[in-house]
């Protein structure tokens, strides 16, 4: 029960962070729009371009976690953690140096590449430097901040991350009270304040870590070059994997514009965002899983790894399948609830967009499951296997999709540009991941796929509820809302009986009953 409770708290903290980030993200958009349309557009443009540099701090985190956790749990070598932490600091410095070069180049080419009003050139350059500074600071502080993950203080990790996110709407709110007439002044003020607050929160987190463990010095002279090389190699494979996955959707977006125009891009964006919610549901399961994987490898050996692989696969599959049937059966109804009826958006073909949503939901369903496997492999220091698979799948999927768009049947051309992510990645990725995971864990392919198949029982019950409500032909939107309630209710209830082991179910029921009866006795 201890490990179960620990992981349950991890998942709850992760979902709490996602909920808070969603609220603060919506608030930030509302506040930025008050600054003026051009201010909002400049901030969003820079956030979605130079913002890609945020990939590098993630790579630092992924590349050092295995070595840090392994050293922390080597109790017979208490100084190992100090040496490995010093190596991680070097990796952060090297990554930050590469980032600085890229950011300087980006800022130098900013106005040559993007169409920004001349009056906002200086402000846009300043804002880009602010975002770049924030990102470099995250990379430099990654070894220190990552120690909270090593200690498995997941609630604290999520609290600090929410605090970082709060700095942006806080800065925007402060700017709304300033007497600034020009749009350029608002951009500069927002960039300065958000960066100042963000760096303050980051510095507080780093100080917190080093006060808890004073042995971890930022500039410790003793470190192993071999450890730095292993971290950099792992980081290189993680970068390749992340870029390969990102290129699948970037390629689709660019060619959708070239083949079918700007309107098709709008439909593509709607489908991608809506379909991707299937994957987002599983993110709450994935946070911290790399740390647990590294610990299990040290403390529990191959048997512990196989058990962790089974339950991680079960949890991620259960999460994505809670919403996947809804997007497959009700994409058009969900689209109408989100952006309004077809009459309000005559430029959008709701039928084509609904089919694209189904495709992206399928791709996101597999990606959500694979995210858990990737976290396990990162924690085990086994990024090379899945990175090679991703590179091969992307290298095949992009030209294959392009050929289908050029020479395929007319009805398929529009959808084919999404195939690198929505078709080839799931269909080729499943056997590739099973192969990589089997080699790592010593499991048979059937053992890896077993938790995925086990979820089919609750899925069948939930889908039965959907079809039962659909047969009633209730008016919109009540029919759809009742179908969602029936699906989720039956899915949760059947999962309790079909997925939770009888012994564990009994222990949980006894604990809940004991708490309830003790509370009743005290009240009496």
């Amino acid at each position: 029960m201890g490990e179960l409770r620990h992981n349950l708290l991890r998942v709850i903290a992760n979902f709490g962070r996602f909920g808070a980030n969603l609220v603060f993200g919506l608030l930030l958009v509302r506040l930025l729009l008050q600054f003026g349309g051009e201010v909002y557009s400049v901030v969003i443009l820079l956030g979605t371009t130079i913002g890609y540099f945020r990939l590098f701090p993630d790579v630092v985190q992924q590349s050092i976690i295995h070595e840090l956790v392994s050293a922390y749990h080597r109790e017979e070598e208490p100084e190992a953690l100090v040496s490995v932490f010093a190596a991680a600091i070097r990796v952060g410095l090297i990554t930050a140096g590469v980032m600085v070069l890229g950011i300087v180049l980006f800022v130098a080419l900013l106005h040559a590449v993007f169409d920004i009003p001349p009056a906002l050139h200086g402000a846009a350059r300043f804002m880009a430097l602010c975002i770049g500074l924030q990102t470099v600071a995250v990379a430099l502080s990654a070894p220190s901040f990552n120690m909270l993950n090593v200690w498995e203080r997941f609630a604290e990790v999520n609290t600090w991350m929410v605090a970082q996110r709060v700095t942006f709407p806080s800065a925007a709110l402060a700017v709304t009270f300033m007497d600034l007439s020009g749009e350029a002044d608002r951009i500069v003020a927002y960039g300065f304040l958000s960066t100042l607050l963000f760096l303050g929160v980051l510095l507080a987190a780093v100080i917190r870590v080093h006060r808890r463990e004073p042995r971890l010095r930022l500039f410790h002279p003793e470190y192993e070059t071999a450890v730095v090389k292993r971290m950099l190699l792992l980081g290189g494979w993680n970068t390749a994997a992340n870029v390969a996955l990102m290129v699948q959707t970037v390629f689709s977006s660019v060619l959708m514009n070239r083949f079918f125009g700007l309107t098709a891009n709008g439909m593509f964006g709607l489908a991608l965002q809506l379909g991707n919610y299937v994957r987002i549901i599983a993110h709450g399961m994935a946070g911290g899983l790399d740390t647990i994987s590294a610990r299990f490898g040290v403390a529990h050996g191959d048997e512990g790894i196989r058990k962790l692989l089974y339950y991680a696969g079960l949890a991620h599959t259960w999460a994505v399948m809670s919403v996947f049937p809804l997007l497959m059966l009700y994409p058009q109804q969900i689209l109408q609830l989100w952006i309004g009826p077809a009459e309000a958006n005559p430029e959008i073909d709701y039928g084509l967009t609904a089919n694209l949503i189904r495709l992206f939901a399928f791709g996101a369903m597999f990606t959500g499951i694979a995210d858990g496997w990737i976290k396990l492999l990162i924690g085990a220091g086994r990024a090379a296997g899945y990175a090679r698979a991703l590179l091969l799948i992307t290298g095949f999927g992009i030209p294959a999709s392009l050929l289908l768009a050029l020479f395929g049947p007319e009805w398929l051309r529009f959808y084919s540009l999404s195939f690198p992510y929505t078709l080839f990645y799931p269909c080729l990725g499943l056997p590739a991941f099973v192969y990589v995971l089997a080699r790592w864990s010593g499991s048979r392919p059937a053992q890896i796929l077993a938790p995925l198949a086990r979820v089919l029982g609750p899925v069948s019950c939930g889908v039965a509820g959907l079809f039962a409500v659909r047969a009633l032909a209730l008016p919109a939107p009540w029919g759809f809302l009742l179908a969602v309630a029936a699906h989720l209710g039956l899915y949760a209830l059947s999962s309790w009986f079909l997925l939770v082991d009888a012994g564990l179910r009994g222990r949980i029921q006894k604990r809940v009953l004991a708490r309830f009866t003790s509370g009743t006795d005290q009240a009496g």
Side-chain angles (χ1 to χ4, degrees):
M1 285 291 286
E3 192 70 46
L4 175 65
R5 183 175 180 275
H6 181 60
N7 279 283
L8 185 60
L9 292 174
R10 172 180 66 85
V11 170
I12 291 171
N14 289 340
F15 276 114
R17 170 166 59 90
F18 289 136
N21 284 350
L22 177 62
V23 171
F24 291 126
L26 293 172
L27 177 61
L28 177 61
V29 170
R30 294 292 297 272
L31 291 169
L32 290 177
L33 284 171
Q34 293 183 27
F35 298 167
E38 288 190 336
V39 174
Y40 173 76
S41 298
V42 167
V43 173
I44 294 301
L45 171 67
L46 295 175
T48 54
T49 50
I50 195 172
Y52 276 120
F53 281 97
R54 293 192 177 112
L55 175 71
F56 287 94
D58 289 342
V59 167
V60 175
Q61 189 270 336
Q62 293 168 356
S63 64
I64 65 179
I65 188 67
H66 171 71
E67 296 286 348
L68 284 174
V69 174
S70 298
Y72 177 69
H73 289 284
R74 290 207 300 269
E75 296 178 357
E76 71 280 2
E77 299 178 53
E79 291 304 310
L81 179 62
V82 176
S83 174
V84 171
F85 182 81
I89 290 290
R90 268 68 178 183
V91 172
L93 287 169
I94 293 169
T95 307
V98 174
M99 291 172 64
V100 167
L101 293 176
I103 290 166
V104 169
L105 181 63
F106 179 91
V107 173
L109 298 175
L110 181 65
H111 304 307
V113 175
F114 299 109
D115 182 18
I116 298 173
L120 300 180
H121 279 188
R125 190 179 290 114
F126 180 81
M127 188 70 209
L129 287 171
C130 286
I131 296 173
L133 178 59
Q134 295 165 18
T135 312
V136 169
V138 173
L140 289 172
S141 63
S144 300
F145 192 81
N146 226 22
M147 286 306 302
L148 294 172
N149 280 312
V150 172
W151 297 326
E152 298 191 23
R153 301 180 67 88
F154 298 123
E156 186 174 350
V157 169
N158 283 295
T159 302
W160 283 113
M161 293 180 77
V162 170
Q164 292 171 21
R165 188 62 180 263
V166 170
T167 60
F168 298 105
S170 299
L173 182 63
V175 172
T176 61
F177 290 102
M178 295 180 181
D179 186 18
L180 300 171
S181 56
E183 291 187 328
D185 294 337
R186 295 190 188 105
I187 293 174
V188 170
Y190 171 70
F192 175 77
L193 278 177
S194 61
T195 303
L196 187 66
L197 292 172
F198 184 85
L199 294 181
V201 170
L202 208 57
L203 180 61
V206 170
I207 291 172
R208 159 86 176 99
V209 167
H210 288 276
R211 288 187 65 179
R212 187 178 190 271
E213 181 51 273
R215 293 185 304 150
L216 302 178
R217 292 160 53 189
L218 293 177
F219 301 105
H220 196 280
E222 296 180 8
Y223 67 96
E224 294 183 30
T225 306
V227 175
V228 175
K229 289 180 178 178
R230 286 202 302 269
M231 289 178 175
L232 289 174
L233 181 62
L234 189 61
W237 281 117
N238 281 321
T239 302
N242 289 333
V243 169
L245 194 55
M246 180 183 69
V247 164
Q248 292 177 3
T249 51
V250 171
F251 155 84
S252 301
S253 180
V254 170
L255 286 194
M256 188 70 76
N257 179 268
R258 300 295 297 173
F259 276 75
F260 302 105
L262 194 60
T263 300
N265 271 120
M267 296 158 62
F268 178 89
L270 288 170
L272 176 61
Q273 185 173 349
L274 198 54
N276 208 39
Y277 282 118
V278 176
R279 180 188 184 188
I280 290 172
I281 292 293
H283 280 182
M285 302 288 182
L289 199 55
D290 47 0
T291 304
I292 293 170
S293 171
R295 171 167 62 84
F296 263 61
V298 174
H300 301 288
D302 291 343
E303 189 57 39
I305 287 295
R306 283 191 285 271
K307 187 177 291 187
L308 180 62
L309 176 59
Y310 179 88
Y311 285 109
L314 184 65
H316 281 76
T317 307
W318 181 85
V320 298
M321 295 307 291
S322 65
V323 295
F324 174 68
L326 295 171
L327 286 167
M328 293 300 288
L329 293 173
Y330 288 97
Q332 200 152 332
Q333 290 88 336
I334 296 172
L335 190 63
Q336 288 173 347
L337 284 173
W338 185 26
I339 65 172
E343 295 78 19
N345 303 284
E347 72 282 1
I348 295 175
D349 187 319
Y350 276 50
L352 288 177
T353 308
N355 287 332
L356 267 183
I357 290 170
R358 290 187 176 99
L359 284 168
F360 277 109
F362 182 70
M365 177 266 294
F366 172 75
T367 308
I369 298 170
D371 284 344
W373 291 337
I374 287 172
K375 282 283 190 179
L376 293 176
L377 290 168
I378 287 172
R382 298 292 190 97
Y386 84 85
R388 289 191 190 100
L390 265 174
L391 287 169
L392 288 171
I393 292 167
T394 302
F396 168 79
I398 288 178
S401 297
L402 183 57
L403 287 173
L404 284 171
L406 289 170
F407 306 110
E410 189 65 30
W411 63 271
L412 190 63
R413 292 179 65 238
F414 180 77
Y415 304 116
S416 65
L417 292 174
S418 72
F419 283 177
Y421 179 77
T422 64
L423 183 65
F424 294 122
Y425 183 41
C427 295
L428 299 178
L430 181 60
F433 270 103
V434 168
Y435 173 76
V436 172
L437 291 166
R439 289 195 63 185
W440 163 56
S441 65
S443 304
R444 296 190 305 275
Q447 292 175 306
I448 297 169
L449 295 172
L452 281 63
R454 193 176 170 189
V455 178
L456 291 177
V459 170
S460 300
C461 294
V463 171
L466 282 176
F467 280 112
V469 174
R470 204 170 188 176
L472 298 176
L474 298 172
W478 307 112
F480 168 70
L481 295 176
L482 183 59
V484 171
H487 165 72
L488 294 179
L490 288 171
Y491 187 71
L493 185 63
S494 58
S495 296
W496 173 251
F497 290 102
L498 297 176
L499 298 185
V500 181
D501 294 334
L504 177 59
R505 193 165 62 243
R507 291 196 298 273
I508 293 173
Q509 288 171 339
K510 282 183 181 179
R511 285 199 173 193
V512 172
L513 186 62
R515 289 200 174 192
F516 178 77
T517 52
S518 64
T520 305
D521 292 342
Q522 289 175 6

